């Protein structure tokens, strides 16, 4: 149930943080107040809203701006004519898009489970799409009720795309953070797979917002940040995770968020291989590691940890063992779809 890791790698963070990935998305429809509430109840240190823009310039929580997979929009005949095909970050996508709806219109929709083949649909139709403002108010209320600080780790999605639509998110997100007393002091970490917007945010934040940190998300090595692609650049995520690339990231970000398999990859048989140098090299550059995403179902776990042969099996023990293997590799925080399992993995070591 384990693999060998470098014994000399330790976190550089004072405390390893459990991040509720889209809330507690294994248990409730993702990016709903119910999902964030479950994550907080289950001990998450941070909750994560992915942010996209509405037609009237309001950041709302959806993993993608195309919403047919996570809402009941397809069942609303009044919106049938808004189904369309767009090019998002170089990919053709057909469906319904948040930027074609006002916030009031989105509020008439209800969330549904994104992974019905693995997860319960019993809560489909129960919850609205929340705005970033509403999420901050909700987290602030939960923090006050529970007597503990809960961080917020928003991701700015498709930054270049929304800028070209004249719906830039960066200043809007900073203004919302500044407008709430809670986020003036509670920990906030803004994430992006792009680079230029994080550099812009670093310039805007300066040294006067010590509670706000920046996380550079990292995709597969052969992929590029879309702002680099749009500008005709050559830089890949693989280039960014070399020692020199990591030192460059450290000039504007506080942490990197790679896929967990960039830290300990899978072998051809689906079992864990040997750790890569990424944790060591990132720590050497002064960057924390906040990888994504641990999930409780067999399908998403390394074969070392499976219980039985059914990919759908909810496998808490396997997820705990997998998380602990990565904790042994020195990660500083991690995203999990089931924060209760993440909490057990950290607290029970």
């Amino acid at each position: 149930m384990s693999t060998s890791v470098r014994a000399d790698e330790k976190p550089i963070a004072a405390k390893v943080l459990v991040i509720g990935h889209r809330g507690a998305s294994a248990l409730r429809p993702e990016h709903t107040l119910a999902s964030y509430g479950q994550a907080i109840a289950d001990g998450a240190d941070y909750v994560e809203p992915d942010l996209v823009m509405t037609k009237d310039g309001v950041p709302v929580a959806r993993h993608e701006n195309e919403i047919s997979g996570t809402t009941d929009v397809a069942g609303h005949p009044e919106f049938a004519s808004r189904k369309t095909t767009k090019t998002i970050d170089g990919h053709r996508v057909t469906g319904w898009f948040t930027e074609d709806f006002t916030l009031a219109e989105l509020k008439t929709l209800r969330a549904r489970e994104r992974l019905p083949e693995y997860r319960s649909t019993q809560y489909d139709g129960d919850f609205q799409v929340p705005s970033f403002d509403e999420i901050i108010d909700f987290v602030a209320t939960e923090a006050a009720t529970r007597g503990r600080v809960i961080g917020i780790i928003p991701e700015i999605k498709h930054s270049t795309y929304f800028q070209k639509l004249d719906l830039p998110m960066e200043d809007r997100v900073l203004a919302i953070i500044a407008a709430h007393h809670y986020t003036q002091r509670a920990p906030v970490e803004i994430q992006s797979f792009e680079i230029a917007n994080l550099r812009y945010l670093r310039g805007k934040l300066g040294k006067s917002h010590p509670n706000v940190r920046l996380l550079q998300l990292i995709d597969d090595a052969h992929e590029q940040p879309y702002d680099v692609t749009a500008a005709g650049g050559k830089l890949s995520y693989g280039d960014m995770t070399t020692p020199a690339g990591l030192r460059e990231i450290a000039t504007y970000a506080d942490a990197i968020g790679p896929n967990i398999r960039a830290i300990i990859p899978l072998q051809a048989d689906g079992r864990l291989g040997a750790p890569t140098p990424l944790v060591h090299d990132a720590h050497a550059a002064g960057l924390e590691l906040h990888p994504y995403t641990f999930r409780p179902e067999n399908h998403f776990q390394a074969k070392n940890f499976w219980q039985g042969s059914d990919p759908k099996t909810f496998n808490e023990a396997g997820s705990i063992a997998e998380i602990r293997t990565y904790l042994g590799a020195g990660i500083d925080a991690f995203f999990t779809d089931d924060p209760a399992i993440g909490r057990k993995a950290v607290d029970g070591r």
Side-chain angles (χ1 to χ4, degrees):
M1 293 283 283
S2 66
T3 188
S4 61
V5 295
R6 290 178 61 124
D8 58 340
E9 288 306 331
K10 298 277 191 291
I12 60 173
K15 173 189 175 186
V16 175
L17 299 173
V18 177
I19 301 169
H21 184 241
R22 314 179 196 178
S25 51
L27 308 175
R28 300 290 185 272
E30 66 185 37
H31 293 311
T32 60
L33 296 187
S35 185
Y36 301 130
Q38 187 68 51
I40 293 165
D42 289 346
D45 297 299
Y46 278 69
V47 293
E48 183 210 27
D50 293 330
L51 300 178
V52 293
M53 288 294 260
T54 67
K55 184 178 184 177
D56 47 346
V58 179
V60 296
R62 290 291 88 188
H63 181 246
E64 293 295 336
N65 54 327
E66 199 289 298
I67 54 174
S68 63
T70 60
T71 74
D72 60 3
V73 65
H76 284 252
E78 69 274 24
F79 298 136
S81 64
R82 299 198 198 174
K83 187 176 185 180
T84 187
T85 300
K86 302 189 181 194
T87 301
I88 313 295
D89 295 0
H91 301 284
R92 296 283 283 172
V93 182
T94 298
W96 288 262
F97 298 85
T98 57
E99 64 269 20
D100 297 328
F101 292 79
T102 65
L103 178 63
E105 288 172 332
L106 284 178
K107 286 294 185 182
T108 68
L109 307 180
R110 292 297 178 269
R112 54 195 282 265
E113 174 54 50
R114 186 178 63 89
L115 298 171
E117 64 273 34
Y118 298 106
R119 295 173 178 173
S120 172
T121 58
Q122 67 175 307
Y123 299 106
D124 283 11
D126 286 355
F127 311 120
Q128 291 185 325
V129 174
S131 71
F132 189 35
D133 275 298
E134 289 172 317
I135 293 164
I136 295 172
D137 280 342
F138 177 79
V139 173
T141 301
E142 287 286 307
T145 300
R146 297 172 184 277
R148 71 178 178 92
V149 176
I150 300 148
I152 303 174
I153 183 163
E155 180 186 342
I156 293 177
K157 305 288 294 195
H158 308 302
S159 173
T160 297
Y161 173 81
F162 279 112
Q163 287 174 26
K164 289 180 177 176
L165 293 180
D166 201 25
L167 289 169
M169 234 181 302
E170 288 72 20
D171 285 323
R172 186 79 193 103
V173 167
L174 289 181
I176 291 170
I177 290 169
H180 289 261
H181 189 238
Y182 184 74
T183 43
Q184 290 171 15
R185 64 190 195 284
V188 176
E189 188 163 284
I190 304 173
Q191 326 166 61
S192 179
F193 278 101
E194 298 189 27
I195 299 171
N197 61 336
L198 290 178
R199 289 188 181 278
Y200 174 81
L201 289 167
R202 173 56 65 208
K204 294 284 284 190
L205 288 164
K207 304 286 189 188
S208 58
H209 299 81
N211 66 309
V212 182
R213 304 207 304 166
L214 301 178
L215 173 64
Q216 175 69 67
L217 293 168
I218 303 290
D219 207 340
D220 294 341
H222 67 279
E223 299 282 354
Q224 288 186 307
Y226 186 68
D227 57 318
V228 173
T229 301
K234 303 297 186 192
L235 186 74
S236 69
Y237 288 110
D239 298 328
M240 294 169 68
T241 53
T242 63
L246 292 164
R247 288 192 295 272
E248 182 60 32
I249 292 172
T251 64
Y252 62 87
D254 303 284
I256 60 167
N259 190 297
I260 56 174
R261 307 308 182 200
I263 292 170
I264 308 176
L266 298 182
Q267 302 175 123
D269 63 0
R271 298 171 68 85
L272 290 180
T276 70
L278 184 56
V279 173
H280 175 82
D281 292 345
H283 285 169
L287 293 164
E288 293 184 11
L289 273 285
H290 300 179
Y292 61 88
T293 304
F294 294 104
R295 295 184 163 110
E297 297 87 4
N298 269 347
H299 172 77
F300 302 105
Q301 296 173 22
K303 284 290 177 67
N304 310 52
F305 309 109
W306 278 42
Q307 289 186 343
S309 58
D310 185 350
K312 298 187 182 74
T313 297
F314 187 97
N315 178 8
E316 176 174 322
S319 189
I320 290 173
E322 183 170 54
I323 291 168
R324 286 182 178 164
T325 301
Y326 281 80
L327 291 172
I331 63 174
D332 302 281
F334 59 90
F335 291 83
T336 171
D337 285 2
D338 192 329
I341 291 175
R343 193 78 271 151
K344 289 179 185 177
V346 172
D347 294 350
R349 287 178 84 198

